[in-house]
Amino acid sequence: MLNRKEGKIKKLLKGLLVFLFVFGLCACSNKQTGNTVEPVMSVSEFENIGISDMALPDQEGFNNISYAIINKNIAEVNFSYAQREYIHLASKDVANFKDILGIESESLSVSEFDVESMVFTINYYTEGFTGAWLKDGVNHVLFGKGLTGDDYNTFGNILTELNGIRIIVDDRVKVPDMKGWRVEAAEKWLTENNFVNVDIEHEYSDTVAENYVISNNIVGLAHPSDSIKVVISLGKKGPSEGDIIYVPDTMINWSEEKFVKALSELGMKAVKGSTTYFCTVVDKGNIFNYSDGNFPYGSSIKYHVSAGPYIFDSSDYDNITPDQAKAVADAYNNRNAHISISFYEEVTEKYPAGRTFDCTSGGNANNTIIACSVAKRNDKVNVPNYVGQSNPCGMGHASCQIGDLNYTVHYVIDGNTIGLVTAQNPSSGQVNKGTTIDLTVSEGGYYAHSLSSGYYNMFVDADPKITAENLQNAPEAFGHFTNVSVEYLNNDTATDFTDGGIARIYTWNNSGYWEDIKDGYYPADTAIRIQIYDTIFKYVNF
C-alpha cells in the first residue's frame, strides 16, 4: 500500500514536520541522563500505564526484543528486523513525550491512523525513518535507526503491522487510594477521569477528620464506567440528648475560642463568668478555671479567663482612706492577685489628713507587697505662756480661740491689775491642737463705790443702824479691803444726813492726801476712810 504512495511520500520529504524531525532526533536517545528507564519482563507490565499489549507481530524477522517503561508513563519496545534496529514508543498522553523529546507537548500534533494519509519522513542526520500516529487514544512513535531509501518498504510494512494487528489499548484508569484526601480533591479527580457511577457515603470516624476521605472501594485499574464508592468522614460522633458527658480537666490555658469549641463538640454550653483572674502561669485571655467532671448533655459549663499577672497601679490606692485601699487590695485578692498591704503615717500638706499617697509595690507577681503613706498633720503646738500678761481673750470674755488652741477664762478679784493673767494651766510644753487652756484673770482688786453709786440711800435705810460689823459684811461694799477706817461724825454738822448716813468715802492717793473714792477696783490693802454721821459710834479701824 505504501509503495503505491511512494511518489506522494517523496514529495513530502522536503516538507519536514517539526515533531517528526524531533522524534527522529530523540527517539533513539531515550536512555540519556535525565530519563528514568525501568526494564520490564513482559508486555503485561504495561498495564500500569494503561496499555495492555504492545507485542510485536507474530512472524519471523523480529529479533532481540526488550521491553521498558520510560519515566513511568511511556512504553518502549526495542527490536531488530531485517538487520535493522527499531524503537517503538507509546503513551496515552502526548505530553509524556516532552521530557525525552525536548519539545513542548503542544508542538506535537498527530492524527488518527489512516494508512492512506500516514506521514513519515527520513531524518538525514540519523539516517533513519520516523513515523507517528494516534490510535485508540494512544500516541505512538516508531523509529528505524540507520535505514536508507532501500528500507522504505520494510519500514512501511512494520508500521502496518504495528497499527493494524497487535496494538491493544487498555482504557482503564488507575484509581489512587484517596484516604486522607479532602472531599473536594476526590470529587475533582473523579470528574476529571470521567467516573460517573460514584456513590458517596458518610460515616463517623475517630481517626479521619470531617470532610476527608475514609476509603474508596476501588484502588488500582478501573474503567470509568465502573461503580466506585467513596466514604467521607463526618468526624467524631457527637454526644446526644440523655448522655452523661465527661468534661476533662485538661483545658486550662486553652484559648477561649478553642475551649468554647471543645465544649460545643461535647454538646455543652460555655458560659463565661464576669470575673477575670490574675495568674502567672495562664496567658492573658486564656482559660483560668472551669467546671469539670460528669454532666448531663447540654449542661452549661461556667468558665473564667485569665487577666495575666497582676500589675500594680498606684492610682488604684492613692488619695483614699486606708480602709478603702485595703478594700481595693481585697477585691484584687478575690481575683487571685496575692496582695498584702500596709500603711504608715507621714506628715504632709499635699493630701487631706487620713488619706493614702505615694503607694509603692515590692515582692513578685506571686506575692505583691504594697506600702502606702497616710497623710497626717503636725497636731502638736507649743503652749504660749500668758502669765503676767493681759488677758488674751479680752476682759469680759469667758472663752476664746487663738490659733489652734482654745482658752477658758476664770475671773478673780485678787487685788492685781485688772485684766492681768495670774495663772495658766498648762503653762508650757506641747499639746494637741484644739486643746483648751485655762486662764485665771484678775478683775483688778475689790470694787468700791462712791456716794453717787447708791450706797448713801442703802446705808441710810439700813436696819438696824449701820455698825462697823455690818458695814464690813455689806454686799459690794468694803468687806474685802483690809485697811478701812470709819469716822463717826456728829450729824449736827451735816443736817442733810440722818443718823447712820454715810457722809463721804475717801481713799489715800499716791500724792499723799485723801480724795473722794471713785467707782472701780482697788487692791485689798487700799487705805479707805468712811465718814458716817452718827454720834453713837466711835472711831473704829477694822
Side-chain angles (χ1 to χ4, degrees):
M1 183 183 296
L2 292 177
N3 291 337
R4 293 197 301 269
K5 294 305 234 178
E6 183 176 346
K8 179 179 179 181
I9 291 172
K10 289 182 178 181
K11 292 180 180 179
L12 295 174
L13 293 179
K14 294 182 180 180
L16 295 175
L17 297 176
V18 172
F19 75 94
L20 293 178
F21 173 78
V22 176
F23 280 172
L25 182 65
C26 301
C28 62
S29 61
N30 56 60
K31 293 181 175 58
Q32 292 179 356
T33 301
N35 296 315
T36 301
V37 178
E38 179 185 355
V40 296
M41 298 299 295
S42 67
V43 295
S44 62
E45 296 182 61
F46 292 150
E47 288 185 356
N48 290 330
I49 60 173
I51 300 174
S52 62
D53 195 351
M54 261 185 55
L56 296 174
D58 186 15
Q59 63 183 51
E60 295 181 2
F62 293 91
N63 301 306
N64 302 320
I65 303 171
S66 62
Y67 306 99
I69 296 177
I70 302 174
N71 294 343
K72 297 187 181 300
N73 48 38
I74 300 175
E76 176 186 275
V77 180
N78 289 273
F79 62 92
S80 61
Y81 184 82
Q83 298 182 347
R84 297 287 188 270
E85 299 298 324
Y86 294 87
I87 300 173
H88 181 198
L89 301 175
S91 176
K92 295 189 72 173
D93 187 351
V94 69
N96 291 334
F97 291 128
K98 176 180 177 180
D99 289 339
I100 64 170
L101 299 179
I103 61 170
E104 295 296 331
S105 59
E106 52 266 22
S107 66
L108 178 60
S109 178
V110 295
S111 302
E112 289 291 336
F113 177 76
D114 182 348
V115 82
E116 293 293 330
S117 61
M118 186 180 67
V119 176
F120 59 95
T121 186
I122 296 174
N123 185 322
Y124 293 100
Y125 296 99
T126 59
E127 289 296 323
F129 294 145
T130 303
W133 68 96
L134 174 66
K135 181 177 178 63
D136 297 330
V138 179
N139 301 283
H140 297 267
V141 171
L142 179 64
F143 174 72
K145 183 179 180 181
L147 301 184
T148 65
D150 295 335
D151 298 308
Y152 179 83
N153 287 333
T154 302
F155 186 79
N157 291 336
I158 294 174
L159 281 174
T160 301
E161 292 289 341
L162 291 178
N163 286 281
I165 301 175
R166 295 299 303 275
I167 298 300
I168 302 173
V169 177
D170 185 353
D171 61 356
R172 290 179 298 172
V173 176
K174 186 177 182 180
V175 180
D177 185 353
M178 299 180 189
K179 182 178 180 179
W181 289 22
R182 280 196 63 85
V183 62
E184 295 85 358
E187 290 174 346
K188 180 180 179 183
W189 189 92
L190 292 168
T191 300
E192 290 178 347
N193 288 276
N194 301 313
F195 280 87
V196 293
N197 296 321
V198 180
D199 180 19
I200 302 294
E201 295 185 358
H202 293 84
E203 294 180 1
Y204 290 105
S205 174
D206 291 335
T207 58
V208 179
E210 183 179 3
N211 292 326
Y212 284 80
V213 175
I214 296 176
S215 64
N216 47 295
N217 66 328
I218 298 178
V219 177
L221 294 173
H223 193 277
S225 61
D226 292 342
S227 178
I228 184 169
K229 180 174 73 173
V230 180
V231 180
I232 307 298
S233 174
L234 292 172
K236 293 183 179 181
K237 183 179 181 181
S240 59
E241 194 72 32
D243 291 345
I244 297 297
I245 307 302
Y246 174 69
V247 177
D249 61 356
T250 57
M251 295 185 281
I252 297 298
N253 206 18
W254 282 24
S255 70
E256 187 175 6
E257 180 182 5
K258 180 180 177 181
F259 174 78
V260 171
K261 182 180 179 182
L263 285 184
S264 177
E265 291 173 350
L266 291 174
M268 300 304 208
K269 300 174 184 176
V271 179
K272 185 176 183 179
S274 59
T275 303
T276 57
Y277 287 88
F278 298 106
C279 188
T280 59
V281 295
V282 177
D283 296 335
K284 184 176 182 179
N286 285 359
I287 302 304
F288 174 78
N289 64 20
Y290 62 95
S291 301
D292 59 75
N294 294 313
F295 301 91
Y297 173 81
S299 294
S300 295
I301 305 299
K302 190 171 185 178
Y303 70 95
H304 299 88
V305 299
S306 169
Y310 170 73
I311 299 175
F312 169 75
D313 185 349
S314 62
S315 65
D316 288 342
Y317 304 94
D318 280 348
N319 201 19
I320 55 180
T321 68
D323 285 344
Q324 290 170 332
K326 187 176 184 303
V328 171
D330 288 344
Y332 282 135
N333 281 330
N334 290 337
R335 295 171 57 197
N336 200 45
H338 305 294
I339 297 172
S340 58
I341 187 167
S342 59
F343 308 93
Y344 62 94
E345 289 187 325
E346 183 177 341
V347 175
T348 183
E349 299 293 332
K350 184 178 179 181
Y351 292 92
R355 310 288 279 193
T356 57
F357 68 99
D358 288 349
C359 295
T360 59
S361 71
N364 51 55
N366 291 317
N367 186 17
T368 301
I369 301 172
I370 298 174
C372 291
S373 300
V374 179
K376 63 174 290 186
R377 299 292 180 266
N378 187 1
D379 292 330
K380 299 290 185 180
V381 293
N382 291 320
V383 177
N385 191 347
Y386 290 105
V387 175
Q389 302 181 35
S390 297
N391 180 6
C393 293
M395 287 300 290
H397 293 89
S399 64
C400 66
Q401 180 180 350
I402 301 174
D404 294 315
L405 296 175
N406 297 316
Y407 294 86
T408 59
V409 182
H410 303 284
Y411 291 99
V412 295
I413 298 173
D414 58 4
N416 288 301
T417 303
I418 185 170
L420 184 71
V421 178
T422 59
Q424 174 179 318
N425 184 32
S427 61
S428 63
Q430 284 195 329
V431 296
N432 292 330
K433 291 180 179 180
T435 298
T436 298
I437 309 299
D438 291 328
L439 300 177
T440 300
V441 178
S442 174
E443 291 186 343
Y446 300 105
Y447 198 82
H449 288 287
S450 67
L451 285 176
S452 62
S453 299
Y455 279 96
Y456 170 80
N457 292 328
M458 179 184 71
F459 287 109
V460 168
D461 297 333
D463 186 20
K465 295 293 186 178
I466 294 296
T467 65
E469 288 77 9
N470 61 31
L471 178 62
Q472 181 80 13
N473 297 320
E476 291 190 279
F478 305 99
H480 294 291
F481 294 97
T482 61
N483 189 13
V484 178
S485 63
V486 178
E487 184 180 1
Y488 295 97
L489 301 176
N490 190 316
N491 60 8
D492 292 340
T493 63
T495 58
D496 291 335
F497 298 96
T498 60
D499 288 346
I502 297 175
R504 298 184 72 175
I505 302 175
Y506 299 97
T507 182
W508 189 260
N509 64 27
N510 293 328
S511 299
Y513 59 87
W514 295 99
E515 65 178 357
D516 289 337
I517 198 169
K518 298 179 177 61
D519 289 347
Y521 287 91
Y522 294 87
D525 62 350
T526 300
I528 297 175
R529 176 181 287 182
I530 301 174
Q531 291 181 332
I532 300 175
Y533 284 99
D534 192 338
T535 57
I536 66 173
F537 290 106
K538 297 180 181 180
Y539 179 83
V540 178
N541 283 323
F542 57 89

